Amino acid sequence: MTDHILRMSGITKTFPGVKALQDVNLSVRRGEIHAICGENGAGKSTLMKVLSGVYPHGTYEGEISFDGEPGRFSGIKDSEDAGIVIIHQELALCPQLSVAENIFLGNERSGRGLIDWNRTNHEAAELMARVGLRESPVTQVADIGVGKQQLVEIAKALSKRVRLLILDEPTAALNDEDSAHLLDLLRGLRDEGITCVIISHKLNEIIAIADSITVLRDGQTIETLDMAADKVTEDRIISGMVGRPLEHRFPPHESSIGEEVLRIEDWTVHSPAQPGRKVVSGASLTLRRGEIVGLAGLMGAGRTELAMSVFGRAYGVNISGRLFKNGTPIELRSVQDAIRHGIAYATEDRKRYGLNLIEDIRRNISSAGLRRMGRRGWVDENEEYKVAEGFRKSMNIKAPSVLSVVGKLSGGNQQKVVLSKWIYTDPDVLILDEPTRGIDVGAKYEIYTIINRLADEGKAVLVISSELPELLGLCDRIYTLSQGRVTGEVLRSEATQERLMHYMTMGQE
Amino acid sequence: MSSVSPTSVAVPPQDDGPAEPPGRLSLGGLSVNIRQSGIYIAFALIVVLFTVLTDGALLQPQNISNIVVQNSYILILAVGMILIIIAGHIDLSVGSVVAATGAIAAVLMVNYGVPWPAALLVTLVAGGLIGAWQGFWIAYFGIPSFIVTLAGMLLFRALTLTVLGNQGIGPFPDAVRTLSNGFTDGYLGNVGLGPLGGADVFSLLVGVLAVAGMAAAQWRTRAARARYGQTVDPLPVFALKVAAAAVLIVAVVVQLARFKNLPWVLVLLAVIVLGYSLLANRSVFGRRIYAVGGNLQAAVLSGVKVKSVVFWIFVNMGVLAGMAGIIFAGRLNQAGPTAGGSFELDAIAAAFIGGAAVQGGVGKVVGAITGGLIMGVINNGMSLIGSPSEQVMLVKGIVLLAAVAFDVWTKRRAGAASR
């Protein structure tokens, strides 16, 4: 009988309209490094949120047993008391506080209500030595790099006497050296008896470090592989991650491709947060009339950054490169410029960047195209209503009326509002960033149909997606992006998931 | 970590079926949105309450006139303030700007003998420049409006003292005093209204025209909406609403006509409220203000020139503060160093009582006016029954807190219903 520190069985988590997890099982042996693999949206993060109590007991079905005890966590505090610590992809540190203060945040070393600074800094130094962080405990977290910040998070976890450490994409933002150091550290922690669960897209890392792997796909457990017993290769994992049938998920479509509409040449973008770091480097793409082009890439490959920087420099600094619209060079200095030149960008995060959630459908649809609707600066409200009503019917937005508030619609219907808003600006080029994220299968099919219709109307569509089957089912041509570089261009007829994955991981060591 | 990098979190969608919007009250087919109409109901209740407490003195002709004249400058400020609050900003400096512009107007007219129309124009431009100064730091330099206008509160008070040389300046030309304090002439003489006594024909005529204009505009809007297939109130409900509004207008106008005709500031206020309501609801610029306050990021990515929008609403606030400054100084017939003290708080309170949301994106010009009138009626009513000022403050504080608490509460219910 194997000694399992964690058993999650029959976990089902439903959001209205979407089954995020369906009967998922996960068993982690004591003292191992257990990797969880799956595409974006496969349910990895949801599963970890169930485990750590972010989704409290009672909001999901299924049982958790941690160290032989039933785990019924009603919040993160509960799970941390039990010894489960999760380190999120976006680090939860206070940049203005010192390393030592961050390590003991919420867990302060104090006597009689006053912080004992000597003890704080002394114990912090010990923990920092354990994780190999060579900095002074009083250094501000803002002054150290992302790699070292990651170590601060781990030191913080150690200070809580962690027994199960969960790391969500810990190396996504790290360079090779920092990644290697982190992986060494995890091996060291394993030898000290700390069990680790690691979520990562970097399969080479997983193969190097994991003792066993659980593959999730579409919210279900596909398999658990034992690295020692099974002969596991990257291809083996990929086929588990992507191996789903493709029939009937996409409406049939035959594109009639015309002349070039938009050409992006030698496009380079620097990060505004870390000047000097290139997030897109020397990328060149061509979009043609009536064509649906895909843009594939792993997290952090620079897809959104590329799209938003082209869309009137809505992202990035120090942008260089050339843009050609219908063969003529153009400059897009602002979003207004981009809209005027017939370019539309529908964001990947519709709630944060795409919609005014407290406003109604009508005013959201008109918001980017008011210039078209306005006469001498005044809005024709009846025209506005008519336009919105037209989109409600043609896009099949399910709402009692166009006066319904957008924040109350489902993800799929919100996405249709975003698309309507951009279609109303009458663009030649539509860049759709993760157009089907967080929406259910039926609504996805509708979105695909709309995308096909746009292409039939002669528009060029660039679809950014993390779901390879979606790109394969939808696009005429697919570009792959890896670490800001275009690493491949594949025609639909030649594209396979394995081939795309190969290009997408190019240069990632 | 770049802020645009996608996360692998499955985004939980909100509910799928559009539910009955919460906070709606059904009264025999007459569906009322409590969150939007609550403020008007509250206003009506407060008026009734003080009418009873003051044995009807609140609604006496002279008192209605007083309420309008005494609160006109706060109401004008509230109109500018609501636009700023809708955009998600705040302006703490308006009291000082009122003082500064009043001082500028006084110095121009009294010390330099500049003709009043030119002096008023220069004062409004000065208000606009003050707004542009603050708008620049807020919109283009990126300093939070709270800080910029807090600094402005001091800066423009200092400007006031400098311009005035630390003393009050007056008196103002008659024309300015008439604008602030005066009434329209009895152009057409008086008419007897039976038991109500004599009333000014011209004022009554204006009232009748206002009612006719309002009814015609409502009817045209309704007809156009119906033509476009929008749902409109059924005819009896529509007629009832228009009739209620008409009765209200006529009642106020008759009372005013019985006293001393129409106060000029009321005419000015009516124009401002009408103009700014149109601006907020129907103009592209107005829409952009709501877009900026509703979701700044989405507004940027929809091609809204956010900086320009924010800049211009502060310029606008400066001009309106200039107008309020002239009226306030004209009413006292003197520009004083302490003028406009705590006006900013009254204007902000009016906006929030009138249904503006603290996070921005929500609010109406008419709401802000109603919020201002609620405070005006409380002030006036309580002074009529002889309440000491600490009680007035207490009540106003409670009303402000209650109004925002109500707003938060309905929003939370709306949030809970959509989960």
Side-chain angles (χ1 to χ4, degrees):
Chain A
M1 176 86 194
T2 332
D3 180 18
H4 284 107
I5 188 167
L6 174 72
R7 270 177 190 281
M8 300 176 79
S9 48
I11 304 290
T12 297
K13 171 76 188 167
T14 324
F15 298 113
V18 176
K19 228 171 202 177
L21 295 175
Q22 198 174 349
D23 200 17
V24 168
N25 299 308
L26 175 68
S27 298
V28 180
R29 289 174 298 194
R30 191 181 302 278
E32 71 164 352
I33 296 180
H34 192 110
I36 299 180
C37 298
E39 291 185 297
N40 293 352
K44 297 166 297 189
S45 293
T46 311
L47 185 64
M48 292 304 110
K49 284 184 179 169
V50 166
L51 174 56
S52 60
V54 173
Y55 301 132
H57 180 77
T59 63
Y60 56 87
E61 293 156 40
E63 286 302 322
I64 300 175
S65 133
F66 181 65
D67 218 1
E69 307 270 320
R72 291 184 181 145
F73 308 125
S74 59
I76 293 183
K77 185 89 182 118
D78 269 9
S79 64
E80 286 192 350
D81 288 346
I84 301 175
V85 177
I86 182 163
I87 297 178
H88 290 281
Q89 206 174 343
E90 278 110 46
L91 300 179
L93 297 173
C94 299
Q96 310 304 336
L97 296 184
S98 74
V99 171
E101 285 171 295
N102 267 290
I103 289 176
F104 294 114
L105 194 64
N107 186 17
E108 285 80 4
R109 294 291 174 261
S110 59
R112 294 202 207 107
L114 294 175
I115 303 265
D116 182 343
W117 286 110
N118 289 328
R119 211 176 130 210
T120 300
N121 289 331
H122 179 71
E123 287 185 22
E126 281 176 359
L127 289 166
M128 287 163 70
R130 243 176 108 190
V131 299
L133 175 58
R134 281 183 292 277
E135 287 285 345
S136 157
V138 296
T139 312
Q140 268 195 15
V141 162
D143 295 338
I144 62 177
V146 187
K148 287 181 174 174
Q149 291 182 5
Q150 187 75 260
L151 298 179
V152 175
E153 280 276 19
I154 294 173
K156 187 174 167 183
L158 293 179
S159 81
K160 293 174 187 161
R161 279 189 254 291
V162 59
R163 290 188 294 158
L164 177 66
L165 181 64
I166 305 165
L167 300 114
D168 192 353
E169 295 282 353
T171 60
L174 302 190
N175 61 27
D176 297 343
E177 198 184 328
D178 286 346
S179 299
H181 178 82
L182 185 74
L183 297 183
D184 276 343
L185 173 62
L186 295 185
R187 286 194 193 95
L189 293 178
R190 170 182 59 189
D191 297 342
E192 291 177 31
I194 295 172
T195 314
C196 288
V197 171
I198 177 169
I199 297 175
S200 178
H201 275 294
K202 298 187 180 172
L203 298 183
N204 51 351
E205 279 179 13
I206 287 178
I207 290 188
I209 194 174
D211 300 305
S212 47
I213 300 177
T214 294
V215 179
L216 294 185
R217 187 207 309 152
D218 290 343
Q220 293 176 305
T221 317
I222 300 306
E223 54 193 345
T224 295
L225 304 166
D226 187 331
M227 298 297 284
D230 306 322
K231 180 128 180 65
V232 180
T233 62
E234 285 189 35
D235 286 348
R236 176 74 190 76
I237 303 174
I238 290 177
S239 67
M241 280 163 62
V242 299
R244 74 188 117 183
L246 285 181
E247 307 84 35
H248 305 309
R249 291 193 42 219
F250 301 93
H253 182 247
E254 206 54 57
S255 291
S256 68
I257 299 170
E259 69 275 26
E260 170 191 306
V261 184
L262 185 72
R263 189 163 82 240
I264 302 166
E265 278 188 1
D266 201 18
W267 198 255
T268 299
V269 180
H270 292 81
S271 156
Q274 299 155 265
R277 196 182 132 226
K278 285 182 186 175
V279 283
V280 179
S281 105
S284 297
L285 284 82
T286 307
L287 307 179
R288 291 192 288 254
R289 204 169 290 282
E291 187 183 31
I292 304 173
V293 178
L295 186 58
L298 295 172
M299 199 164 293
R303 303 166 301 179
T304 298
E305 289 84 351
L306 170 63
M308 283 180 71
S309 59
V310 168
F311 185 62
R313 306 188 177 183
Y315 170 88
V317 292
N318 251 329
I319 300 168
S320 64
R322 292 173 300 280
L323 294 176
F324 299 88
K325 176 86 190 294
N326 301 325
T328 326
I330 53 168
E331 282 268 347
L332 304 179
R333 296 184 179 280
S334 64
V335 173
Q336 296 91 292
D337 278 358
I339 294 173
R340 215 173 294 132
H341 277 99
I343 295 172
Y345 168 75
T347 164
E348 60 176 335
D349 190 341
R350 55 186 166 262
K351 291 190 181 193
R352 268 178 71 192
Y353 299 117
L355 294 167
N356 183 348
L357 293 171
I358 58 177
E359 203 46 281
D360 57 28
I361 295 175
R362 172 189 55 161
R363 292 193 174 186
N364 268 288
I365 289 180
S366 68
S367 63
L370 273 182
R371 205 181 292 273
R372 274 187 77 190
M373 192 154 324
R375 288 201 199 103
R376 295 166 185 272
W378 296 95
V379 181
D380 183 339
E381 288 196 301
N382 292 312
E383 179 68 18
E384 184 181 36
Y385 184 91
K386 198 176 94 179
V387 166
E389 192 59 34
F391 276 112
R392 185 170 79 92
K393 293 202 178 89
S394 69
M395 306 285 276
N396 192 23
I397 300 170
K398 291 181 198 76
S401 99
V402 294
L403 304 180
S404 308
V405 172
V406 162
K408 298 224 171 75
L409 303 177
S410 70
N413 285 311
Q414 286 184 347
Q415 189 64 21
K416 290 177 196 168
V417 173
V418 172
L419 291 177
S420 305
K421 158 176 149 180
W422 287 112
I423 293 169
Y424 183 64
T425 65
D426 195 22
D428 304 317
V429 178
L430 278 124
I431 306 173
L432 309 180
D433 200 347
E434 300 285 0
T436 63
R437 169 173 294 169
I439 65 184
D440 60 36
V441 180
K444 279 184 183 178
Y445 192 90
E446 286 185 86
I447 301 282
Y448 299 143
T449 310
I450 292 165
I451 293 173
N452 287 338
R453 200 169 73 209
L454 291 170
D456 291 342
E457 288 167 10
K459 302 185 190 307
V461 186
L462 180 67
V463 178
I464 301 175
S465 177
S466 299
E467 292 186 39
L468 293 181
E470 179 169 289
L471 293 176
L472 291 169
L474 197 62
C475 301
D476 302 306
R477 196 157 52 90
I478 301 169
Y479 287 104
T480 56
L481 211 55
S482 174
Q483 297 185 338
R485 290 173 193 283
V486 174
T487 49
E489 181 184 354
V490 189
L491 289 176
R492 178 186 215 159
S493 53
E494 301 161 358
T496 61
Q497 299 200 31
E498 288 73 16
R499 189 160 168 198
L500 291 177
M501 193 61 98
H502 171 70
Y503 286 132
M504 282 156 64
T505 50
M506 224 177 222
Q508 303 220 347
E509 295 306 324
Chain B
M1 193 92 239
S2 87
S3 63
V4 289
S5 74
T7 60
S8 61
V9 181
V11 180
Q14 299 212 328
D15 91 346
D16 37 356
E20 171 77 1
R24 282 189 87 85
L25 198 69
S26 264
L27 295 169
L30 198 106
S31 164
V32 185
N33 186 326
I34 296 184
R35 183 157 173 221
Q36 277 169 16
S37 337
I39 175 72
Y40 309 112
I41 297 169
F43 181 50
L45 291 178
I46 286 170
V47 169
V48 169
L49 175 72
F50 280 106
T51 307
V52 172
L53 288 179
T54 60
D55 288 331
L58 185 83
L59 297 182
Q60 285 304 305
Q62 177 167 1
N63 198 50
I64 289 189
S65 184
N66 279 347
I67 292 176
V68 171
V69 175
Q70 281 167 1
N71 291 290
S72 54
Y73 33 91
I74 296 295
L75 297 180
I76 291 174
L77 293 176
V79 170
M81 190 66 78
I82 188 80
L83 299 185
I84 285 178
I85 287 174
I86 290 169
H89 288 274
I90 196 94
D91 190 342
L92 301 176
S93 71
V94 294
S96 295
V97 180
V98 163
T101 48
I104 291 169
V107 168
L108 287 174
M109 287 185 271
V110 179
N111 293 7
Y112 292 93
V114 177
W116 69 267
L120 294 196
L121 195 67
V122 172
T123 305
L124 295 183
V125 170
L129 287 176
I130 287 173
W133 159 266
Q134 306 203 98
F136 164 77
W137 291 108
I138 294 161
Y140 293 103
F141 209 80
I143 304 178
S145 52
F146 187 92
I147 304 296
V148 172
T149 58
L150 188 61
M153 194 175 176
L154 297 169
L155 290 177
F156 302 117
R157 184 63 64 184
L159 179 70
T160 309
L161 296 176
T162 312
V163 170
L164 290 176
N166 259 331
Q167 55 180 9
I169 294 184
F172 279 86
D174 284 348
V176 176
R177 291 169 55 196
T178 307
L179 173 67
S180 323
N181 249 344
F183 299 85
T184 52
D185 280 334
Y187 304 105
L188 301 171
N190 265 19
V191 67
L193 289 179
L196 295 176
D200 176 49
V201 175
F202 176 74
S203 303
L204 294 176
L205 210 59
V206 170
V208 169
L209 285 177
V211 167
M214 186 267 303
Q218 293 290 332
W219 177 256
R220 277 183 52 195
T221 308
R222 182 175 185 275
R225 286 197 178 154
R227 231 185 0 263
Y228 277 88
Q230 303 185 43
T231 44
V232 291
D233 287 332
L235 201 56
V237 176
F238 171 79
L240 205 68
K241 282 184 179 174
V242 170
V247 166
L248 199 69
I249 295 175
V250 167
V252 171
V253 167
V254 165
Q255 290 296 69
L256 290 172
R258 286 172 63 203
F259 177 54
K260 269 191 190 168
N261 314 347
L262 298 178
W264 277 111
V265 284
L266 180 66
V267 178
L268 181 69
L269 261 176
V271 171
I272 288 178
V273 171
L274 212 60
Y276 278 92
S277 291
L278 276 176
L279 178 92
N281 291 328
R282 300 265 176 98
S283 76
V284 172
F285 183 77
R287 288 300 178 74
R288 303 227 144 129
I289 301 175
Y290 285 93
V292 169
N295 185 343
L296 182 68
Q297 307 291 348
V300 171
L301 287 179
S302 301
V304 174
K305 291 178 188 156
V306 171
K307 290 177 180 175
S308 148
V309 168
V310 171
F311 177 78
W312 284 107
I313 55 171
F314 274 94
V315 172
N316 173 69
M317 181 78 249
V319 173
L320 288 176
M323 200 176 286
I326 294 165
I327 289 170
F328 184 68
R331 188 173 135 70
L332 298 184
N333 205 10
Q334 190 191 47
T338 57
S342 82
F343 280 15
E344 62 280 342
L345 300 182
D346 284 338
I348 292 168
F352 284 124
I353 292 175
V358 184
Q359 299 81 6
V362 179
K364 281 183 164 176
V365 171
V366 178
I369 291 290
T370 311
L373 283 175
I374 285 180
M375 291 207 303
V377 168
I378 291 173
N379 269 335
N380 180 279
M382 291 190 75
S383 75
L384 285 182
I385 55 178
S387 307
S389 62
E390 68 267 21
Q391 281 185 18
V392 180
M393 277 189 221
L394 180 78
V395 170
K396 279 162 74 180
I398 287 171
V399 166
L400 174 61
L401 195 61
V404 178
F406 178 76
D407 182 65
V408 170
W409 178 69
T410 50
K411 210 177 299 167
R412 187 176 306 149
R413 276 186 44 187
S418 73
R419 203 149 288 146

